[in-house]
């Protein structure tokens, strides 16, 4: 398995272990992780800390040139908010663990020139399917339903 997708999965599992939603993300620049995060909306009482947003936050301030040469890995297809951040910072490539359980704004990203590769990883799918079955109300809250 790709070690960066594995790192995102590890983040998702960490979020689940904390009582949160199992979505993780890492930002990779020049072969190393510069930001990692997981959905912490529940843990932090946050409206915006999805996995990708947490990874951006933990990457800290970076020159635009870094983001324009980075790849973002996420266990789940990015929502509108996270896709907006990807576009804002010029991330050119996104690797998505799966989009069976939730289809985010992949078409928007592609329409703006972002390369989006969806892996349909069985571990990512199982994490979300199990979570959605166990916590449907929390999942609906996370995606604004």
């Amino acid at each position: 398995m790709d070690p960066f997708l594995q790192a995102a999965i590890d983040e998702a599992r960490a979020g689940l272990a904390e009582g949160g939603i199992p979505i993780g993300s890492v930002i990779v620049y020049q072969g190393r992780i510069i930001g990692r995060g997981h959905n912490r909306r529940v843990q932090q009482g946050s409206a915006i800390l999805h996995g990708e947003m947490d990874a951006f936050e933990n990457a800290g301030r970076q020159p635009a040139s870094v983001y324009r040469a980075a790849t973002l890995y996420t266990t789940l297809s990015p929502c509108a908010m996270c896709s907006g951040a990807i576009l804002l910072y010029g991330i050119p490539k996104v690797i998505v663990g799966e989009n069976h359980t939730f289809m985010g704004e992949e078409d928007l990203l592609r329409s703006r020139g972002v390369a989006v590769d969806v892996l349909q990883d069985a571990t990512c799918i199982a994490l979300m399917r199990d979570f959605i079955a166990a916590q449907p109300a929390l999942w609906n809250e996370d995606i604004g339903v």
Side-chain angles (χ1 to χ4, degrees), residues 78-93:
C79 74
M81 174 179 66
C82 296
S83 294
I86 289 164
L87 294 174
L88 178 67
Y89 290 106
I91 300 284
K93 185 171 185 178

Side-chain angles (χ1 to χ4, degrees), residues 21 41 131-132 135-145:
I21 299 164
R41 290 185 67 250
F131 178 79
I132 292 167
Q135 300 275 353
L138 183 54
W139 170 240
N140 286 338
E141 173 192 320
D142 194 65
I143 58 172
V145 175

Side-chain angles (χ1 to χ4, degrees), residues 6-7 10 23 26-27 33 41 50-51 56 60-62 65 71 79 94 97 107:
Q6 184 61 57
D10 292 345
I23 303 166
V26 297
I27 301 170
I33 295 172
R41 290 185 67 250
H50 282 185
F56 275 115
R61 288 180 61 196
Q62 298 290 332
S65 61
T71 299
C79 74
V94 177
D107 289 342

Side-chain angles (χ1 to χ4, degrees), residues 5 72 74-78 93-107 109-110 115-122 124-125:
L5 180 61
L72 184 141
T74 182
T75 58
L76 186 66
S77 185
K93 185 171 185 178
V94 177
I95 308 295
V96 176
E98 67 103 352
N99 65 8
H100 280 302
T101 60
F102 176 77
M103 173 58 78
E105 298 296 330
E106 294 172 23
D107 289 342
L109 291 170
R110 288 184 181 107
V116 179
D117 188 7
V118 182
L119 304 179
Q120 305 305 7
D121 178 80
C124 295
I125 294 168

Side-chain angles (χ1 to χ4, degrees), residues 28-29 34 62-71 89 91-92:
V28 177
Y29 174 69
I34 61 167
Q62 298 290 332
S65 61
V66 168
Y67 286 126
R68 280 189 234 131
T71 299
Y89 290 106
I91 300 284

